[in-house]
Amino acid sequence: MIQIGDTTLNLSDPLTLAAIGAGVLLLLITILLFAAIRAASRSARLTEPLIRQMGDLGQRVQGLSDGQHQLSGGLTHVAEAQSKAQTNMLHLMEKRLAQVQEQMNENLHGAARRTAQSLGELQQRLTAIDKAQENITKLSGDVLTLQDILSNKQTRGAFGEIQLHDIVSKALPSDSYTLQSTLSNGKRADCLIHLPNPPGPICIDSKFPLEAYEALRNAADDRQVQEAARFLKTSVRKHIRDIAEKYILDGETADGALMFLPSEAVYAELHANFPELVREGFEARVWIVSPTTCMATLNTMRAILKDARMREQAGAIRRELGLLFADVDRLGNRVENLDRHFHQAAKDISEIKISADKAGRRAKRLDNFDFEELAPETEPTIVKLTKPDTQGG
């Protein structure tokens, strides 16, 4: 039993226990509620800054969201601009690549064309080289043939005659020389040039001692050179004597003859290393000539022939000049007569004009019925003088 004031509580009573329990429970709940309210009040005071911060954080989050939307829009714009720029860049690059490709194609075509042209020119040059090679081969054969010809005395003489004939035919008129002309001593000159006296006809011999010159060229040592030189001197001296004896005839030919050498090398060798042979030829009145000097000599002979023919035609020229002078004198007389006739014709035309003017004035007066007496007009007396043509023709 518990005495509380005037009330006595029976702890053994379940109801009392229940009421006590309920009261205690209520008290506990009240205490807890009060504690909770106080805690809530204190928590509320503590959470106000947090709420404000949460509000600020929400605003910032909203700003960040707006910024994110703006950034997203900017990124979209940038992406679109970048895509457009990339597209333009791709088009520009494709265009540039197309231009570069076209230029490269043109350059390649041009290079191919130039290469083809160069190859064509090279082919032409190779063809020309092949032809030149063929000509060289043919010329080598011709040289060998010429060497074979010159190695034989008869064929060498024929070759010299042909070359001499070619030179003489180009330098002189056809009627001023004779080939293979036979002289009074029975000797036959390769060419006889009909020069006037003096100096008279002159003979040309076209044979030459090539064997000695070939031996001199092919000499391997000093002994062979000396032997070949002696052989050449002997051969040339004999040839000079033969020409002087055969082709220099008193009263028939000129006081000299020409020894024609178809080889410039032999001519140069004689003048360079054997001048005594040239002097011996001068003493024997046998002039040694090469193709070049022979052409110069023939041109001099042509001038001599031309001068001789001019002297032969001097009489005819004088006669023609006399006839020409007579024709010129007759022409002058006839021109003088014609000039006199022209002056007379001009005078007659002037008088005809005067008569025509008078007739015109009379016709004008008649047309105006002017019958007054006209003063008599006297016409000048016309005296015509003519000179008879006393010249013939």
Side-chain angles (χ1 to χ4, degrees):
M1 294 294 239
I2 297 173
Q3 183 69 32
I4 299 174
D6 294 334
T7 303
T8 302
L9 295 179
N10 187 10
L11 295 177
S12 61
D13 186 7
L15 293 174
T16 301
L17 290 176
I20 292 170
V24 173
L25 182 61
L26 180 60
L27 179 61
L28 289 174
I29 290 171
T30 302
I31 293 170
L32 290 175
L33 182 60
F34 179 77
I37 290 171
R38 288 188 65 183
S41 176
R42 189 169 53 251
S43 298
R45 286 193 305 269
L46 293 175
T47 56
E48 285 182 1
L50 183 60
I51 291 172
R52 287 194 298 271
Q53 291 179 0
M54 289 296 292
D56 296 336
L57 181 62
Q59 291 178 359
R60 291 180 181 179
V61 170
Q62 184 65 33
L64 290 175
S65 178
D66 295 338
Q68 186 177 4
H69 285 296
Q70 292 178 1
L71 180 61
S72 177
L75 291 175
T76 303
H77 180 71
V78 170
E80 292 178 355
Q82 185 176 4
S83 177
K84 187 176 181 181
Q86 289 179 355
T87 304
N88 294 331
M89 182 64 70
L90 289 175
H91 287 302
L92 181 60
M93 290 180 65
E94 290 177 356
K95 185 176 180 180
R96 294 289 179 84
L97 287 175
Q99 292 177 355
V100 171
Q101 186 176 2
E102 183 178 0
Q103 187 174 2
M104 288 182 63
N105 291 331
E106 291 180 356
N107 293 333
L108 289 175
H109 286 303
R113 183 170 59 253
R114 289 190 295 272
T115 303
Q117 185 177 359
S118 300
L119 290 176
E121 294 177 356
L122 180 60
Q123 183 67 29
Q124 293 178 358
R125 293 181 180 178
L126 290 176
T127 304
I129 292 173
D130 292 337
K131 291 182 180 179
Q133 184 67 30
E134 293 177 359
N135 293 331
I136 292 174
T137 305
K138 184 178 178 182
L139 182 60
S140 300
D142 294 339
V143 170
L144 294 176
T145 305
L146 179 61
Q147 189 174 7
D148 295 338
I149 290 173
L150 297 179
S151 63
N152 185 282
K153 186 175 182 179
Q154 295 180 351
T155 55
R156 183 175 70 246
F159 174 74
E161 292 174 5
I162 293 172
Q163 190 172 4
L164 177 62
H165 178 222
D166 183 63
I167 295 174
V168 171
S169 62
K170 291 179 179 179
L172 299 178
S174 60
D175 59 347
S176 62
Y177 64 91
T178 303
L179 298 176
Q180 300 299 321
S181 177
T182 303
L183 304 178
S184 61
N185 59 358
K187 303 300 181 179
R188 181 177 295 178
D190 294 327
C191 180
L192 180 65
I193 300 176
H194 306 292
L195 293 177
N197 287 316
I202 186 169
C203 298
I204 303 178
D205 184 83
S206 62
K207 302 174 182 65
F208 58 98
L210 184 64
E211 294 86 355
Y213 175 71
E214 290 293 335
L216 181 63
R217 288 187 57 190
N218 297 327
D221 52 20
D222 294 337
R223 184 182 61 82
Q224 293 180 1
V225 169
Q226 293 176 0
E227 292 179 356
R230 286 195 297 269
F231 181 39
L232 180 62
K233 291 179 181 180
T234 303
S235 300
V236 174
R237 286 194 180 101
K238 182 179 182 301
H239 197 54
I240 290 173
R241 288 195 303 269
D242 292 341
I243 292 175
E245 293 173 358
K246 293 178 181 178
Y247 304 131
I248 300 177
L249 303 177
D250 293 336
E252 184 178 354
T253 64
D255 190 18
L258 297 178
M259 183 174 71
F260 176 71
L261 298 179
S263 174
E264 295 284 351
V266 178
Y267 180 81
E269 183 70 24
L270 291 179
H271 281 75
N273 300 321
F274 301 94
E276 66 277 7
L277 296 177
V278 179
R279 288 194 296 270
E280 290 178 9
F282 287 161
E283 293 173 358
R285 299 183 302 278
V286 176
W287 325 118
I288 302 174
V289 294
S290 66
T292 304
T293 57
C294 182
M295 178 63 72
T297 305
L298 292 177
N299 286 328
T300 304
M301 294 180 181
R302 181 176 182 178
I304 295 173
L305 290 171
K306 184 178 180 181
D307 184 67
R309 292 183 180 182
M310 288 289 291
R311 288 197 302 270
E312 291 175 358
Q313 299 296 328
I317 291 173
R318 283 195 296 269
R319 288 194 301 272
E320 291 296 329
L321 286 175
L323 295 175
L324 179 62
F325 178 76
D327 291 338
V328 171
D329 185 60
R330 186 181 300 111
L331 178 62
N333 293 329
R334 291 180 179 179
V335 169
E336 183 179 356
N337 293 334
L338 181 62
D339 183 65
R340 187 171 55 253
H341 291 323
F342 275 136
H343 282 297
Q344 186 63 42
K347 184 177 179 182
D348 293 341
I349 291 173
S350 177
E351 292 175 352
I352 289 171
K353 288 176 64 177
I354 293 171
S355 299
D357 292 338
K358 290 180 178 180
R361 288 197 298 270
R362 290 182 184 276
K364 188 175 180 180
R365 289 191 182 96
L366 291 174
D367 186 57
N368 294 330
F369 300 99
D370 186 2
F371 298 103
E372 295 180 358
E373 186 66 24
L374 298 176
E377 298 177 355
T378 60
E379 295 184 357
T381 303
I382 300 174
V383 180
K384 295 183 179 180
L385 300 176
T386 58
K387 181 180 179 181
D389 185 4
T390 58
Q391 302 294 331

